[in-house]
Amino acid sequence: MTPYLDYALGAPVADTKAPAGPIEQRWDQRRFEAKLVNPANRRRHTVIVVGTGLAGGAAGATLAEQGYRVVQFCFQDSPRRAHSIAAQGGINAAKNYRNDGDSVRRLFYDTVKGGDFRARESNVHRLAQISVEIIDQCVAQGVPFAREYGGLLDTRSFGGVQVQRTFYARGQTGQQLLLGAYQALSRQIAAGGVEMHPRTEMLDLVVVDGRARGIVARDLVTGEVSTHLADAVVLATGGYGNVFHLSTNAKNSNATAVWRAHRRGAWFGNPCFTQIHPTCIPRSGDHQSKLTLMSESLRNDGRIWVPKAAGDTRPPAEIPETERDYYLERMYPSFGNLVPRDIASRAAKAVCDEGRGVGPGGQGVYLDFADAIARLGRDTVSARYGNLFEMYERITAEDPYRVPMRIYPAVHYTMGGLWVDYDLQTTVPGLFAIGEANFSDHGANRLGASALMQGLADGYFVLPPALNDYLARQGSDPLDPGDPQVEGVRQEVVQRLDRLLAVRGDRTPESFHRELGRIMWDECGMARNDAGLRRALARIPELREEFWRRVTVPGTGASLNQQLEKANRVADHLELAELMCLDALHRTESCGGHFREESRTGQGEALRDDEAFSYAAAWEFTGTGRAPLLHREHLDFEYVHPTQRSYA
């Protein structure tokens, strides 16, 4: 297979849904302009929601509450097992309870700056506005946020900011927020407003006459392939970090839904923007299939350091203070250990590359709580982080109350995703993407504690009026399940599964996934360069050709077959990885999580090229083996003027 090192330029793209005028009024103006669907008419409309994490669960519950017929899917055995539970540290909101100078404007500013000026101002300001409503919504649902002694909601700091705006529920924030959305969704399931399909995976998008009209899905227990039709489709399927094989994502998290939608006409935005999280338990060997995240909240009280001397293998307790390098505090005195994730990750890689890393292979740095325990007491530290400390000890057999944690960066969140307009609608009419499945709010880097915020904002507050507007303008148009365009998609899915089963080669899907992950981590991970990206773009098509020739999938498709599930997802990873590398190759600047070694300041920091790359890249699929089209959405900054990011 010939790699596509080249691409063609398509027409520029613009977000035509965001209103003009003062940024503080745009969201209210858009809601007012949006057409409405009479409550009595909503029962005539069916909406498919794929995914039951925070974005999907919130969307399904809200749309059903409004009266729509919702058909919802998840590949877990229960909606409450969605990966949103893994977001442990907290959720941002500009409520300024601490009276420390926070505001909607400051959250907006911090998010645009943290994303290295590669996000839309309109979207980010809307997110900051809605943040204050999210907390009220979740408190009303009974989410047990941490509280101060007097009963007021407590907050803490996260990376990239100098205020305490992060609300949290110990180290289980994502789980507690998901339970809030899950109980709202469960109420609608019991009331008959939501038809829930667990253990069912979307394998393709049905597009009829240019509109998204349904999905083709496979029952993961029986193997049955079925078609489900609706008036609109909502993808809330998360990110694509598992392209790297080792990541903090759940093993089942995958890119199949968004990638199949991309192949059906939905453009893909900024696929190279991948966040590397600085606070993960280091890799321990080739046996591993995933990595474990230690919440960024730990950086509030933990101090990060390495020995000053290269090759110092003494236990941490034997290294005196004078021989320790608290490198983040030294390099970035204003923010210290709470610099943004991309900066903290690259700094950790740099000291390890110098030979000052700790632990097996020197791939780790210390996260030390000795000062916090001495200052606050063990009980206070345990109240804040106890479950995280317990998780760390179970995995490493080391007690972080007595010895420092060892951490190292790992693939975490993906800022890229399906390109959407202000209404969260993709380039396929009737197809909406919410939460991490879209590209819209974070730019080239996501501030910590913003993923939960975006998921709930999209599901509870942004999607419902946007969907109302679309359905009011489109109307209800029942579709015949026997329509040739519908049956044709189902047949393509069946043929693809049959093809995977028929190869009967000598390599497992996991072996291909592991090899792809090594390529992506080495050439498109924390640092990228021209030569490495070209090596990846030469090797990935070869690996994809080998996959279709040598993969082995035992069993049949007409039953539970987890190897078939895995192979199908790896096949999509092998295609998406190529587009990620092409996007990284074409963007010769450094910004946020995308660090090109050829583009750095004299101090080694990321160097943007605003004149050439102040745009969102929206890639259009043109056919298998054909170069994609690059559409560029120019980014205007009226309120936050791009500057060289500094956290010193």
Side-chain angles (χ1 to χ4, degrees):
M1 294 185 181
T2 304
Y4 49 72
L5 289 173
D6 295 321
Y7 58 89
L9 279 178
V13 62
D15 174 20
T16 60
K17 298 291 181 61
I23 198 167
E24 297 86 356
Q25 299 174 15
R26 292 177 187 173
W27 172 228
D28 288 338
Q29 182 65 27
R30 179 63 190 124
R31 284 191 293 179
F32 176 73
E33 292 174 350
K35 287 184 175 294
L36 302 176
V37 179
N38 185 305
N41 291 335
R42 293 174 193 162
R43 295 189 295 272
R44 303 175 185 174
H45 292 284
T46 300
V47 180
I48 286 175
V49 180
V50 186
T52 57
L54 282 183
T62 304
L63 294 174
E65 182 77 33
Q66 290 184 347
Y68 291 109
R69 295 196 305 264
V70 177
V71 183
Q72 195 147 4
F73 300 83
C74 69
F75 52 63
Q76 299 91 351
D77 56 1
S78 165
R80 66 178 291 180
R81 291 178 62 85
H83 184 61
S84 297
I85 63 169
Q88 304 152 327
I91 178 171
N92 290 329
K95 280 188 168 290
N96 195 31
Y97 282 172
R98 293 277 184 172
N99 196 26
D100 56 359
D102 200 12
S103 63
V104 168
R105 184 65 178 267
R106 189 173 295 279
L107 175 53
F108 163 61
Y109 173 83
D110 287 343
T111 305
V112 173
K113 177 185 175 183
D116 220 349
F117 305 95
R118 291 295 175 260
R120 294 186 190 132
E121 285 190 329
S122 293
N123 287 67
V124 176
H125 195 278
R126 176 176 65 186
L127 183 64
Q129 284 178 264
I130 292 174
S131 70
V132 298
E133 300 176 56
I134 293 172
I135 301 302
D136 296 339
Q137 166 90 2
C138 294
V139 169
Q141 289 179 331
V143 173
F145 286 118
R147 295 179 181 268
E148 297 177 328
Y149 179 76
L152 299 177
L153 295 180
D154 197 10
T155 55
R156 55 191 178 197
S157 296
F158 258 62
V161 302
Q162 292 178 302
V163 296
Q164 289 183 254
R165 66 163 65 103
T166 304
F167 295 77
Y168 66 98
R170 205 178 183 190
Q172 305 170 343
T173 313
Q175 179 175 342
Q176 297 302 327
L177 291 171
L178 184 63
L179 288 174
Y182 174 62
Q183 68 182 7
L185 181 64
S186 295
R187 176 173 178 268
Q188 293 304 318
I189 294 172
V194 175
E195 178 186 310
M196 190 68 223
H197 293 265
R199 298 294 288 137
T200 307
E201 183 175 17
M202 171 183 165
L203 296 186
D204 217 329
L205 177 72
V206 175
V207 179
V208 177
D209 298 330
R211 292 165 48 205
R213 298 302 309 272
I215 67 170
V216 176
R218 179 175 181 270
D219 186 308
L220 297 180
V221 177
T222 67
E224 179 187 1
V225 176
S226 57
T227 303
H228 304 265
L229 302 180
D231 297 299
V233 177
V234 179
L235 299 186
T237 51
Y240 49 91
N242 271 342
V243 168
F244 290 84
H245 185 255
L246 287 180
S247 79
T248 65
N249 289 267
K251 280 301 291 178
N252 277 348
S253 297
N254 64 83
T256 287
V258 293
W259 187 249
R260 301 297 173 82
H262 173 62
R263 290 177 61 93
R264 293 290 176 187
W267 296 354
F268 212 106
N270 297 332
C272 77
F273 287 168
T274 305
Q275 183 173 82
I276 312 295
H277 198 294
T279 317
C280 300
I281 298 178
R283 176 175 174 268
S284 60
D286 289 339
H287 65 282
Q288 270 185 278
S289 60
K290 76 175 301 292
L291 296 171
T292 302
L293 172 70
M294 287 285 103
S295 169
E296 182 178 323
S297 62
L298 294 169
R299 292 200 278 153
N300 272 278
D301 291 308
R303 300 180 69 193
I304 297 173
W305 64 276
V306 292
K308 288 184 176 179
D312 189 340
T313 59
R314 288 178 292 174
E318 296 179 13
I319 302 177
E321 284 286 317
T322 56
E323 297 179 35
R324 299 180 180 186
D325 180 13
Y326 294 90
Y327 58 90
L328 291 178
E329 299 172 28
R330 169 176 56 81
M331 298 166 66
Y332 309 102
S334 293
F335 284 74
N337 296 298
L338 286 173
V339 294
R341 292 174 177 178
D342 60 316
I343 291 175
S345 293
R346 285 196 295 274
K349 180 179 185 298
V351 296
C352 290
D353 289 348
E354 292 170 3
R356 298 194 287 143
V358 302
Q363 295 295 299
V365 300
Y366 288 129
L367 179 59
D368 196 338
F369 287 85
D371 285 357
I373 292 172
R375 183 179 74 254
L376 303 170
R378 175 171 172 148
D379 289 346
T380 298
V381 172
S382 177
R384 292 178 180 177
Y385 313 112
N387 63 306
L388 299 173
F389 278 39
E390 180 183 352
M391 184 192 310
Y392 181 88
E393 184 172 9
R394 286 185 177 184
I395 292 172
T396 65
E398 298 174 2
D399 181 358
Y401 291 104
R402 299 177 59 240
V403 297
M405 289 184 178
R406 288 178 295 106
I407 58 171
Y408 193 71
V411 171
H412 181 52
Y413 190 92
T414 50
M415 286 75 68
L418 294 183
W419 185 93
V420 293
D421 61 20
Y422 192 68
D423 283 357
L424 306 181
Q425 188 169 199
T426 71
T427 50
V428 176
L431 176 66
F432 296 79
I434 61 177
E436 194 180 355
N438 73 39
F439 89 111
S440 65
D441 290 356
H442 304 299
N445 178 57
R446 178 175 68 79
L447 288 183
S450 290
L452 302 179
M453 178 172 60
Q454 187 206 350
L456 292 179
D458 286 358
Y460 283 134
F461 298 103
V462 182
L463 178 70
L467 193 64
N468 278 339
D469 183 74
Y470 171 77
L471 293 174
R473 296 175 188 276
Q474 195 65 54
S476 181
D477 180 20
L479 188 63
D480 182 358
D483 186 298
Q485 296 179 80
V486 176
E487 180 58 22
V489 178
R490 195 189 75 84
Q491 286 299 325
E492 286 183 38
V493 169
V494 171
Q495 290 167 10
R496 179 184 174 92
L497 297 176
D498 288 344
R499 183 184 173 195
L500 284 167
L501 289 163
V503 176
R504 300 297 183 187
D506 58 356
R507 286 191 63 178
T508 64
E510 179 71 8
S511 72
F512 283 102
H513 194 186
R514 191 181 299 275
E515 183 173 349
L516 176 65
R518 283 197 297 267
I519 295 169
M520 293 298 290
W521 180 251
D522 291 344
E523 313 294 12
C524 198
M526 268 193 286
R528 297 101 183 256
N529 59 56
D530 185 273
L533 290 167
R534 290 181 183 276
R535 282 195 298 270
L537 284 167
R539 176 57 185 145
I540 292 171
E542 295 174 349
L543 187 64
R544 189 165 65 245
E545 186 276 333
E546 185 179 351
F547 172 87
W548 285 104
R549 185 168 43 84
R550 294 185 57 189
V551 71
T552 180
V553 180
T556 70
S559 63
L560 174 69
N561 191 334
Q562 292 182 310
Q563 286 303 300
L564 180 58
E565 296 171 36
K566 173 76 174 180
N568 201 36
R569 295 165 185 169
V570 172
D572 292 324
H573 290 332
L574 285 163
E575 295 181 0
L576 172 56
E578 192 168 2
L579 184 62
M580 292 170 66
C581 291
L582 181 63
D583 189 40
L585 180 66
H586 110 274
R587 190 176 284 272
T588 55
E589 66 166 353
S590 290
C591 55
H594 169 65
F595 187 74
R596 284 291 296 264
E597 294 178 343
E598 304 93 337
S599 183
R600 63 177 83 189
T601 67
Q603 293 75 40
E605 302 289 355
L607 180 62
R608 291 195 324 273
D609 183 351
D610 291 332
E611 185 175 345
F613 292 102
S614 188
Y615 62 78
W619 295 91
E620 179 182 358
F621 180 76
T622 61
T624 303
R626 297 177 58 187
L629 280 178
L630 170 61
H631 302 269
R632 294 178 292 192
E633 179 196 346
H634 179 71
L635 299 172
D636 291 311
F637 294 95
E638 301 176 62
Y639 296 87
V640 181
H641 299 294
T643 58
Q644 179 62 37
R645 268 199 316 168
S646 173
Y647 292 92

